[in-house]
Amino acid sequence: MRPRTARRLVTAAVLAATLPGAASCAVGPERTIPVGAVAPAPAGSASPAAPVVPAQVPETLSFTAKTLDGTAFSAAALAGKPVVLWFWAPWCATCASQAWTVAEIAPKYRDTVPIVGVAGLGEQKAMKEFVSEFELAGTPQLDDRSGALWRRFEVVEQSTFVIVDRDGRVVHQGFLDGESLTRQVDALARG
């Protein structure tokens, strides 16, 4: 075999071996970057970071609402993260006992496993007083007096936790005591 032909065969073999690996890097697992965020530039890169396409929004998180203070809320902003939806009522004693746990853990997991309250079955004034009394103002609290989200998630009693995984699948729906909630959120945060 001539040397030139041998080099071409070696080059072709090297390319054949490395191209599938290079292609798989580009198609690897999706990264979780919040909607509207900018991806960091690769290490050693001098060019500015480019905008990243938001995570695909699963049907589970395709809803909007208003918070108790009237701010617009879009669950689509949570796509790509596990999310805890907490359905509560202002007069519910069980909800009150769980509120302390939610107030304690929500700030710690705000960026990795957001907890979103969904207030219903009461008057707005009582809901706002509940949020103030249990120091939940740092956690989004949706005003669902109409019951639209309660119906959407088929919640029939308070207090109910709906846990949605990174892919938008409901992985738990029902009661959780404080210890169980903390364990579940911690496990979701660790991935």
Side-chain angles (χ1 to χ4, degrees), residues 152-165:
R152 177 187 177 95
F153 287 93
E154 299 177 358
V155 173
V156 295
E157 64 185 349
Q158 75 295 331
S159 172
T160 296
F161 288 95
V162 175
I163 299 178
V164 180
D165 71 7

Side-chain angles (χ1 to χ4, degrees), residues 80-185:
K81 295 181 182 182
V83 177
V84 176
L85 300 174
W86 173 41
F87 291 82
W88 60 269
W91 45 264
C92 167
T94 302
C95 302
S97 69
Q98 292 167 325
W100 294 116
T101 301
V102 171
E104 180 183 324
I105 68 172
K108 178 180 178 183
Y109 296 102
R110 177 175 288 124
D111 297 327
T112 54
V113 185
I115 299 174
V116 178
V118 184
L121 306 177
E123 296 299 318
Q124 188 179 44
K125 181 180 178 194
M127 293 173 180
K128 286 182 175 184
E129 289 170 355
F130 183 94
V131 168
S132 178
E133 179 181 348
F134 295 103
E135 301 172 4
L136 295 165
T139 305
Q141 300 295 325
L142 306 183
D143 184 344
D144 194 39
R145 287 175 288 162
S146 69
L149 291 174
W150 287 58
R151 286 187 300 278
R152 177 187 177 95
F153 287 93
E154 299 177 358
V155 173
V156 295
E157 64 185 349
Q158 75 295 331
S159 172
T160 296
F161 288 95
V162 175
I163 299 178
V164 180
D165 71 7
R166 293 180 200 297
D167 299 320
R169 291 184 306 251
V170 173
V171 294
H172 173 84
Q173 182 160 344
F175 175 81
L176 289 171
D177 62 24
E179 287 180 25
S180 298
L181 175 63
T182 302
R183 272 194 311 275
Q184 291 245 10
V185 170

